[in-house]
Amino acid sequence: MSDFTSDFWNLYVAGLTLVSIIACLILLWIAGTTKAATVHDNTTGHVWDGDLREINNPLPKWWVYLFIITCVFGLAYGALYPMFGKFQGVLGWSSQGQHTAEVQKVEAAIAPIYAKFQGMKPEDMAADAQAMAIGERLFMNYCAQCHGSDARGAKSFPNLADGDWLGGTGADYIKTTIGNGRTGVMPPMAAAIGSAEDVRNVAQYVLSLSKTETDATRAAQGKEKFAACAACHGADGKGMHATGAPNLTDDTWLHGFGEEAIIKAVNQGFTNQMPAQSALLNEAQINVLASYVWSLSNKAAK
């Protein structure tokens, strides 16, 4: 990888930029000092169409001065700001530094607003109209793209407005998930279950757990093979919060409902990732947002 991370391209860009500016100045100097061979009427002797003569007119002074100013400005800009390869400029400016400064400025401005909610319990914050208005706006900006504006999610994106939670419950868990993100993995289990018919039987058994009409014979045959799934979902199929394994006995289906959806999950597995938001939100914002999300599914907060 050293061939792709050397300083060659930085030096190439810096050198090419500097040489180009200097070359423009040299070209201008040559054009301004070179005397063209002319006759008494200031023409070069070139004639087109019988009477169209070429006159040797110098460049306008205003254009020459503007050209020089442009080149000087380019050199000055390159000295002050990053332009010549890795050279950061005398002022040490960077887009990342400016972004950080602007973020700090905004955080300082909004800090008094969030200070009011510091230390408040989720149930108290959920009863505060201002906190919920702020939480809703944060949710719309950072969460609604995946979970929907009504927080009811979509296929493969959890519904945050019901009482079904994977990996844990409570405002503290929600706060940790928002800040650090979460990855949910369902490994392909077909090899552990057996043949394609065995997988279909297990799918029927899983459907029977949620009181769905199934093929009783297949479901009975699939119960024994379900032992491969019980390690995560439990022998009763009610899942485990510790591992994030969903409850298979309710009517909540994150990745689709029905025999084919279950067979696909068993054969292919899936990986869901909730991205960490700590790089975008500070602790105070995450605290308010977590309380808002908690309130969506907690009847005591309504």
Side-chain angles (χ1 to χ4, degrees):
M1 289 297 292
S2 60
D3 293 340
F4 299 96
T5 57
S6 69
D7 289 335
F8 169 76
W9 289 110
N10 292 302
L11 296 175
Y12 174 81
V13 172
L16 186 61
T17 303
L18 184 60
V19 169
S20 297
I21 295 176
I22 295 175
C24 287
L25 291 172
I26 294 175
L27 180 62
L28 182 63
W29 178 79
I30 292 174
T33 57
T34 301
K35 299 297 183 181
T38 59
V39 295
H40 64 282
D41 59 354
N42 198 36
T43 61
T44 63
H46 299 153
V47 181
W48 293 270
D49 297 332
D51 60 354
L52 185 59
R53 300 176 182 276
E54 179 183 18
I55 298 178
N56 179 36
N57 283 332
L59 294 170
K61 294 295 184 183
W62 66 267
W63 189 94
V64 173
Y65 295 147
L66 184 60
F67 194 98
I68 295 173
I69 291 173
T70 301
C71 292
V72 172
F73 174 82
L75 291 172
Y77 185 93
L80 296 174
Y81 296 96
M83 189 173 81
F84 297 115
K86 285 187 174 181
F87 178 63
Q88 293 299 307
V90 176
L91 298 180
W93 179 91
S94 69
S95 58
Q96 180 62 43
Q98 181 175 342
H99 175 264
T100 300
E102 291 177 356
V103 169
Q104 291 174 346
K105 182 179 179 180
V106 171
E107 289 185 345
I110 65 176
I113 300 175
Y114 286 95
K116 171 184 175 181
F117 312 117
Q118 189 69 29
M120 287 181 64
K121 295 181 179 180
E123 53 266 30
D124 295 332
M125 207 179 305
D128 188 293
Q130 184 183 20
M132 291 299 95
I134 294 174
E136 181 181 21
R137 182 52 51 196
L138 290 171
F139 184 88
M140 290 299 181
N141 289 338
Y142 297 96
C143 310
Q145 294 85 346
C146 293
H147 296 284
S149 58
D150 59 357
R152 296 189 181 278
K155 185 178 179 181
S156 300
F157 297 98
N159 182 350
L160 304 180
D162 61 12
D164 190 77
W165 293 90
L166 300 177
T169 58
D172 288 339
Y173 170 72
I174 298 173
K175 183 177 179 180
T176 300
T177 301
I178 293 174
N180 301 333
R182 179 180 178 275
T183 300
V185 179
M186 159 72 180
M189 296 297 295
I193 290 176
S195 66
E197 286 300 306
D198 290 330
V199 171
R200 189 169 296 276
N201 292 340
V202 167
Q204 286 293 316
Y205 175 70
V206 170
L207 288 173
S208 72
L209 294 176
S210 59
K211 306 300 187 293
T212 302
E213 185 177 349
T214 59
D215 184 322
T217 301
R218 282 187 174 277
Q221 293 173 350
K223 183 175 182 179
E224 180 181 351
K225 294 293 184 178
F226 184 78
C229 311
C232 292
H233 295 283
D236 56 1
K238 292 187 177 181
M240 298 182 185
H241 275 305
T243 62
N247 183 352
L248 303 179
T249 67
D250 58 17
D251 59 354
T252 300
W253 299 90
L254 180 59
H255 297 282
F257 173 73
E259 182 183 79
E260 294 304 321
I262 297 173
I263 291 174
K264 181 179 179 180
V266 172
N267 286 333
Q268 301 179 12
F270 43 73
T271 300
N272 262 25
Q273 183 172 11
M274 156 71 183
Q277 301 295 312
S278 56
L280 302 174
L281 300 170
N282 60 34
E283 184 177 355
Q285 291 172 315
I286 292 176
N287 188 42
V288 174
L289 177 56
S291 296
Y292 172 76
V293 173
W294 176 84
S295 73
L296 294 175
S297 61
N298 194 288
K299 295 180 180 180
K302 298 180 180 179

